[in-house]
Each structure stands twice: as structure tokens, then as C-alpha cells.
Amino acid sequence: MELYELFRRHSRISTDSRHIVPDSLFFALHGERFDGNSYAENALKAGAAAAVVDDPSVAETLRQHWPDRCAEVPDTLAALQELAARHRRELGIPILAITGSNGKTTTKELVGRVLSRKFRTAVTQGNLNNHIGVPLTLLAMDRSVEIGVVEMGASHPGEIALLCSIARPDYGLITNIGKAHLEGFGGIEGVMRGKGELLDFLVANGGTAFWLNDSDRLKTMVESRPGLRAISYSAPEAIGTEPFVEARWDGLPVRTRLVGDYNRSNIAAAIAVGLYFGIGRAEIVSAIESYDPDNNRSQKRQTAFNTLISDCYNANPSSMQAALDNFLCEADPRPKAVVLGDMGELGPYAAVEHRTVVERLEQGGIEEAYLVGGHFAEAARGSRYRTFADTEALARYLDEHPIRNRLVLVKGSRANRLEKIAEKL
């Protein structure tokens, strides 16, 4: 049976045999330390309708027991991507792709809420924004969906182009260009080229781009692509940031639950998209104000001991600088403390970028900093700041030396698992 016909009968996808969705298709994907083919039998026993495998010997074994519940393909990842591309064509709905160095997920959530005021909208869930996540996002869309918002992440050249070939976006939005994944992209110019693959796709296919005209880099990227249909937008006027970002747009106050003045550009993106798709101003504002981040991104909350600004999902030099700049401007009268984790995927830029962060702490008058990871340990050598090999070491220290009555910024990538530290603050 053709794979797409099988998908139409069993339209939910599973990729983890430990969490099988009943009556789903199990795709036996490969990882650095696992081969999904080894778990195909477990998936079928757990209730998967069929298993998609690329190991002939596994396929032969499965057919002996479940002759109608095995689909053999040359490559399971390629099959997943091709299935998603076919499904996207069958849906025939507008797709808006969002990429950028920082702010992708917040912008995605804001845009999704705005569009939902008028359309049945499907939005990337969690962090499903890579070569596996984007296909899964598309395959989760059913015939009731009227518009899709797809987040696209990348750490190397060619990845955005691949995702565009699968999702075939009609619209694109690049939040910003910053110092993220420098190791894979080979510097800021490489980041511009990599993220610019979205614009290249839109130019070639008659799509429309939304872009922040406050960004010189984005302006350069747009202007260097003649024929690109582009809609620019600007960050709204700031009203205040205490305790959350407030802005004024077209005479209307926008009161958010977002932390950090840098979020004004993410708000602007949602406004621009909403206006383009004919959503009323009051509805746009209401949708933006309804978003309450709950995913370890720019959360501000009062604990039993401190006021905590937590951003434990991602960290790169650009987002770290923005978070620190915002933190240093906080008007809270209590002493400030920071807990920072190493920034990954910087390659030869790692030493200088971590040292830049330490210098920013010193220049900002931060007396109390707890730095996690080998890069920060080297960068902070000779400074007043405490360094720790890993999160567990910091956790043990905090058990004996708790932080109390502070305004605390916790910022790091997922690899640092600093959310465990946040629980102690």
C-alpha cells in the first residue's frame, strides 16, 4: 500500500516506541545512539497500526507476525519528510514559516494566537522545528486547519532550504540575525546566508516576507533579493517593562506577560501578520495580551525566596546580551544575582563570547554570579564570580548557601538543565 494512503487511514505519527499513540504509524528513525528498527516490534505490540522500517531483516521478521502492519522503505527519515511534503500539498493551505536567531518560539506563539482569532490555526508544538520536527508538525495538521505557522530552526547551511522544500511556505518571517550556531554557520555572515534561505525560497516561489525594518542585517538581506515581496514592520513604542513589557501601538496600549524590552519586536511581528490577514486591531491586542509564557522562556515570577527571571530554554551570545541588558535595567531595589550556563555551538568563537559575557557582568556592577560550565570557568578565571563544572555542582552549593531576597536571572541552554536550579530559588 502506498505510504500516503496508509497515513490517511492512520493519521497520527509516533517516533518513540515508549510513547505509542494507539492506531498510529510508527516511524523507525535513527539517532546517534539508537536504531528505531530495533523497537518496531515493541511499537506494534504497544498498539501502533503499522511500523515503517528501513531494515530488510527487521521487515522480514515483522511480516511473519504482522503481514499487513509493516511498510518497508529505503530510508525512514526520507520517507517521513516525503510524506509530510505530500500531505502539505494535499492540504493546500497557506503556511507561514518563522525562523531567526532569537525569538522564534515567542513570535510563533504570538502569531498563532493572533491568527486564531480569525482562522483555524495549527502551530508548531514545543521545539519541533528541525528536519524531523517540521515534518511532524505538518503531518499533525488535518483538513480542518485553515492556516499553519511552522517554526524552522537551523544550525548549518542548507537546513532551512531543506525545511522549505518540505513545508513550501507561502509566507516567511525572520525574527532577527544574531550570534547563534556560529560553529555550524561559520560566523555572522554564514548566519545571514543560512536564514536567508527562507527568503530565497520565497523569491523563487512568489512568496511574501515579513521583516523588522529596525534591523540593518535584515534590511540588507531583503534589499539584496530583487523581486522579493516584503512587508516591513517596526517595534511599537515602549511604555514600560515593570514587571512586564507594555507598548503602545496605534494609540492602543498592549500589556503583555513577557519579560524583556527585546520582545517588542516579537510583538510587532504578530501585529504585522495580523494586519496583513485582516484581523481587527482590538483582536490583535487581545490575542497578544492572552499569551502567558510557560515554557522556560522569559518567565518572571515570585518564589518563596526571590523574584526569578527564568530563561532556561536557549542561550547564544545575542540572546544572552539582550537578557543581561534588560536585567541590568530592572528597577527592583533588591540586589541582583545571575545564574548563567555555557553557550553551545560556538566553536572557535566560544572563548571570546563567554569572556564578553563576564565583562558585561563586571561592567554592569553585578556582584553575585554563578556560572556553570567549562567555557564560563575559563572566561571567569580571576574574577569575583563563582564557577561550577555542571548544574549538579551548583545545586549542591546552593543547598548549603541558598540565595535569598534577590532579583535573579537564570539563563542558559537546555543542555545546562538550569531549570533544576530555578526550583531551588
Side-chain angles (χ1 to χ4, degrees):
M1 181 185 298
E2 183 193 20
L3 190 56
Y4 191 71
E5 290 303 313
L6 187 62
F7 168 73
R8 293 182 67 175
R9 291 171 54 189
H10 310 283
S11 59
R12 303 188 70 179
I13 305 295
S14 294
T15 59
D16 187 336
S17 63
R18 298 166 298 181
H19 305 287
I20 291 296
V21 176
D23 200 40
S24 62
L25 292 183
F26 172 74
F27 273 78
L29 301 178
H30 303 260
E32 292 182 6
R33 297 183 178 85
F34 70 90
D35 180 352
N37 289 283
S38 303
Y39 304 100
E41 184 173 344
N42 292 343
L44 292 177
K45 290 178 178 178
V52 182
V53 300
D54 56 12
D55 185 323
S57 63
V58 170
E60 182 179 357
T61 300
L62 294 180
R63 290 193 188 101
Q64 292 175 1
H65 301 283
W66 300 282
D68 299 322
R69 296 174 63 191
C70 173
E72 184 182 356
V73 297
D75 183 300
T76 50
L77 175 58
L80 179 71
Q81 294 171 341
E82 291 165 6
L83 180 66
R86 166 75 182 276
H87 186 54
R88 189 269 177 271
R89 294 195 300 272
E90 295 287 335
L91 288 172
I93 61 173
I95 295 288
L96 167 64
I98 296 178
T99 191
S101 298
N102 304 301
K104 293 186 295 296
T105 298
T106 298
T107 301
K108 171 203 70 177
E109 295 295 336
L110 293 173
V111 167
R113 279 163 173 74
V114 169
L115 291 175
S116 294
R117 295 302 173 103
K118 184 177 180 179
F119 307 99
R120 290 189 293 274
T121 307
V123 179
T124 296
Q125 298 300 301
N127 64 333
L128 295 176
N129 65 6
N130 64 4
H131 62 296
I132 296 173
V134 167
L136 292 177
T137 294
L138 295 167
L139 291 168
M141 298 181 189
D142 61 27
R143 298 283 178 176
S144 70
V145 174
E146 295 176 309
I147 190 168
V149 180
V150 178
E151 181 180 336
M152 293 183 175
S155 57
H156 292 84
E159 291 180 340
I160 295 295
L162 169 65
L163 299 181
C164 285
S165 73
I166 298 169
R168 301 198 65 80
D170 308 279
Y171 304 92
L173 191 156
I174 301 177
T175 57
N176 51 49
I177 299 295
K179 295 179 179 179
H181 305 293
L182 295 180
E183 182 177 25
F185 283 119
I188 198 71
E189 293 295 329
V191 176
M192 294 174 68
R193 286 191 296 272
K195 301 300 184 181
E197 290 167 9
L198 173 55
L199 303 183
D200 294 336
F201 182 88
L202 296 175
V203 171
N205 294 276
T208 300
F210 299 89
W211 65 285
L212 178 68
N213 60 22
D214 303 332
S215 167
D216 291 338
R217 287 170 180 160
L218 289 176
K219 182 178 181 180
T220 297
M221 292 168 66
V222 169
E223 291 181 346
S224 66
R225 291 168 170 85
L228 174 65
R229 291 207 296 263
I231 297 170
S232 66
Y233 58 89
S234 298
E237 174 192 357
I239 297 178
T241 57
E242 292 292 336
F244 303 110
V245 174
E246 291 188 35
R248 190 183 312 281
W249 164 61
D250 198 28
L252 298 174
V254 185
R255 300 180 177 91
T256 77
R257 299 283 296 178
L258 298 167
V259 177
D261 186 64
Y262 49 85
N263 273 305
R264 285 192 297 124
S265 62
N266 301 329
I267 294 167
I271 290 172
V273 173
L275 288 175
Y276 179 88
F277 284 97
I279 299 169
R281 283 165 165 73
E283 285 285 271
I284 291 173
V285 171
S286 175
I288 291 171
E289 292 181 340
S290 74
Y291 175 51
D292 190 1
D294 58 358
N295 52 10
N296 286 323
R297 296 173 185 269
S298 298
Q299 293 175 283
K300 188 174 187 178
R301 58 190 173 90
Q302 183 67 46
T303 71
F305 312 109
N306 305 284
T307 297
L308 193 63
I309 299 175
S310 178
D311 191 348
C312 306
Y313 188 83
N314 192 23
N316 58 55
S318 296
S319 67
M320 189 72 80
Q321 177 180 326
L324 287 174
D325 287 348
N326 182 76
F327 182 68
L328 292 170
C329 291
E330 289 278 350
D332 195 304
R334 290 172 297 176
K336 292 181 171 68
V338 300
V339 178
L340 305 180
D342 269 2
M343 301 174 288
E345 299 184 54
L346 295 178
Y349 302 91
V352 66
E353 294 296 348
H354 283 84
R355 182 59 200 167
T356 298
V357 172
V358 173
E359 290 172 352
R360 184 72 182 98
L361 294 175
E362 293 172 333
Q363 293 164 1
I366 295 295
E367 297 288 338
E368 199 173 343
Y370 306 84
L371 308 177
V372 177
H375 291 305
F376 269 131
E378 183 62 31
R381 190 184 302 275
S383 74
R384 67 173 74 95
Y385 304 132
R386 296 186 180 276
T387 62
F388 302 85
D390 51 38
T391 301
E392 288 71 22
L394 174 56
R396 291 191 296 270
Y397 177 85
L398 292 179
D399 285 338
E400 297 183 6
H401 306 85
I403 298 174
R404 295 292 183 265
N405 195 31
R406 298 286 192 271
L407 177 66
V408 186
L409 170 67
V410 183
K411 173 75 174 172
S413 64
R414 281 172 291 169
N416 301 131
R417 294 175 295 149
L418 289 183
E419 63 273 8
K420 293 186 176 182
I421 298 301
E423 296 170 2
K424 295 179 176 291
L425 301 174

